[in-house]
Amino acid sequence: MAKPTESDAEAAVRVLIEWAGDDPDREGLVDTPRRVARSYRELFRGYEEDPRSYLARTFEEVGGYDELVVLRDIRVVSFCEHHMLPVVGRAHVGYLPTRRVVGISKLARVVHGFARRLQIQEKLTADIAEAITDILEPQGVGVVIEAEHSCMTLRGVNTPGSTLITSRLTGALREDQRTREEFLRLARGP
Ligand code: ZN
């Protein structure tokens, strides 16, 4: 299948505007297909990235640090693959290093790289945990995502304020009760 061009994408947006019941030729909407097509490039940038590559550069001089590393409140902006509506929330990511750590901004970039695709939250959570597990080979990984799904809160069953929480815990964060509780406490915040 040939990759659609920007004008193909704009034509598709025009169809959706008409499908919604409006006139794509009226003044306020004339430039909308172009804006939407361009905003898609940004919102779905994850397809052009390899989030795993952000974890490639690690630091081995950790001074014997062997406690949890947790980054809380990473903003998540994603789109549910069932309705293409926004999923907005926060991710908390942690791991128990073996001998390597990564720069903390890299954890956020991994989250963004996987989020900026059509996703379901369960898979997004698992994708992040798997990438960290494969590349850092830590003693364990924890990923918790709490997010509001527009497809539920703006339409359908219409449950404003409801949040979906997903988590993936591996290794010591799953098996060792003390480590698990500590991660969940740190992820929950003050
Ligand atoms: Zn949905």
Side-chain angles (χ1 to χ4, degrees):
M1 196 177 70
K3 199 176 186 318
T5 63
E6 188 164 327
S7 63
D8 292 335
E10 290 176 17
V13 176
R14 275 182 64 90
V15 171
L16 287 175
I17 291 171
E18 288 185 285
W19 176 243
D22 214 320
D23 171 12
D25 291 318
R26 75 174 171 83
E27 195 187 353
L29 289 173
V30 165
D31 290 327
T32 299
R34 187 176 53 81
R35 290 191 202 98
V36 173
R38 291 194 177 167
S39 72
Y40 263 46
R41 285 268 65 82
E42 182 181 346
L43 293 168
F44 295 107
R45 204 167 45 209
Y47 291 112
E48 286 151 26
E49 294 179 18
D50 174 12
R52 289 169 170 255
S53 68
Y54 298 132
L55 299 170
R57 188 167 141 71
T58 58
F59 304 95
E60 303 208 355
E61 296 222 343
V62 293
Y65 187 87
D66 60 356
E67 297 290 331
L68 281 169
V69 176
V70 179
L71 186 61
R72 276 174 35 78
D73 290 335
I74 304 165
R75 175 141 168 100
V76 170
V77 175
S78 191
F79 286 79
C80 88
E81 66 185 31
H82 299 141
H83 303 91
M84 295 182 73
L85 286 169
V87 173
V88 178
R90 298 176 298 169
H92 316 296
V93 176
Y95 63 101
L96 188 60
T98 306
R99 20 170 230 290
R100 291 199 287 253
V101 298
V102 282
I104 48 171
S105 67
K106 300 300 171 6
L107 294 175
R109 296 185 72 172
V110 169
V111 170
H112 296 154
F114 283 117
R116 294 196 169 218
R117 303 171 182 204
L118 294 170
Q119 278 284 14
I120 61 169
Q121 188 177 323
E122 293 85 342
K123 180 166 184 296
L124 174 60
T125 310
D127 283 347
I128 297 164
E130 191 181 288
I132 298 170
T133 302
D134 288 352
I135 298 164
L136 294 188
E137 298 176 340
Q139 295 178 60
V141 172
V143 178
V144 175
I145 298 179
E146 34 187 308
E148 191 174 305
H149 290 242
S150 310
C151 62
M152 273 187 68
T153 56
L154 303 182
R155 56 163 290 285
V157 291
N158 229 320
T159 51
S162 69
T163 302
L164 182 67
I165 301 177
T166 48
S167 68
R168 172 64 70 97
L169 304 177
T170 71
L173 276 75
R174 184 187 183 103
E175 314 297 340
D176 181 65
Q177 189 186 345
R178 190 192 66 84
T179 309
R180 183 175 64 233
E181 284 171 2
E182 190 184 353
F183 169 71
L184 294 173
R185 182 175 57 74
L186 292 169
R188 204 179 304 120

